[in-house]
Amino acid sequence: MRKLYLTILPIVMILCLAMLSSCSGNSDETENGGTDDGILRITADKTAIQADGVEKVTFTVKLGTKDVSEESTMNLILVKESGEENLDYGVRAFSTSVPGTYVFKARYYEGKAMVSENEVTVQVAPVSGGTSYYHKLLGMQFTSVGCQPVRRLALH
């Protein structure tokens, strides 16, 4: 019986250690249920805005599960028919006063350049007739001691 116990004990200990190491949190699984796969993805808080120059779309860029949206080595790319336009580094919002369809990708530098696996399309609608515009008028009067006509204006 003692020989059987000494033979089984090391096997049980090895199995217990294997189970503990698999549950220690060293896997690629995250608390969100996703995996840290190293793929760059871009998402947006909305896909339609008004072309008023004020309303904006805010993008989120993730490398696997790490949010790299505000890092200085991330930039958005505006995809156009004529080519791509790189937006400034660290900028994660977009607003425009020109209606149309805009397509965005993201680029992130971490030792090498990575481009997002997906694209986000944003529809920008023209502003409806309900928007009111106003003008400010600035009047200035210049005077000088050596100018007779200007002195006459200053008296009134």
Side-chain angles (χ1 to χ4, degrees):
M1 177 71 127
R2 183 172 164 87
K3 283 186 180 182
L4 181 63
Y5 188 69
L6 290 175
T7 306
I8 294 176
L9 183 62
I11 295 171
V12 170
M13 289 178 62
I14 290 171
L15 289 173
C16 287
L17 286 174
M19 287 174 43
L20 285 174
S21 67
S22 68
C23 296
S24 66
N26 292 333
S27 68
D28 286 341
E29 292 297 316
T30 64
E31 59 274 359
N32 298 348
T35 58
D36 190 6
D37 53 11
I39 295 175
L40 192 65
R41 291 184 182 90
I42 181 173
T43 58
D45 63 343
K46 52 187 150 184
T47 57
I49 60 172
Q50 293 288 318
D52 58 6
V54 176
E55 189 177 6
K56 64 182 177 179
V57 177
T58 303
F59 296 95
T60 301
V61 180
K62 289 190 173 186
L63 177 60
T65 57
K66 178 183 174 189
D67 189 349
V68 296
S69 302
E70 295 181 5
E71 293 193 17
S72 62
T73 57
M74 186 283 302
N75 72 300
L76 298 174
I77 302 169
L78 177 59
V79 180
K80 299 179 176 181
E81 289 180 14
S82 60
E84 296 180 346
E85 178 183 334
N86 294 319
L87 303 181
D88 291 335
Y89 287 99
V91 173
R92 58 179 274 190
F94 173 75
S95 180
T96 184
S97 58
V98 180
T101 301
Y102 295 85
V103 179
F104 293 91
K105 294 189 299 187
R107 180 180 293 121
Y108 178 66
Y109 294 96
E110 186 179 63
K112 63 177 183 171
M114 292 176 270
V115 177
S116 59
E117 294 281 320
N118 64 324
E119 297 177 340
V120 173
T121 302
V122 177
Q123 296 291 332
V124 180
V127 177
S128 63
T131 303
S132 62
Y133 295 95
Y134 63 93
H135 297 276
K136 291 183 179 179
L137 181 61
L138 173 64
M140 298 178 79
Q141 181 179 2
F142 295 95
T143 62
S144 171
V145 176
C147 183
Q148 289 294 331
V150 174
R151 269 195 282 172
R152 275 189 254 145
L153 284 175
L155 298 176
H156 293 53

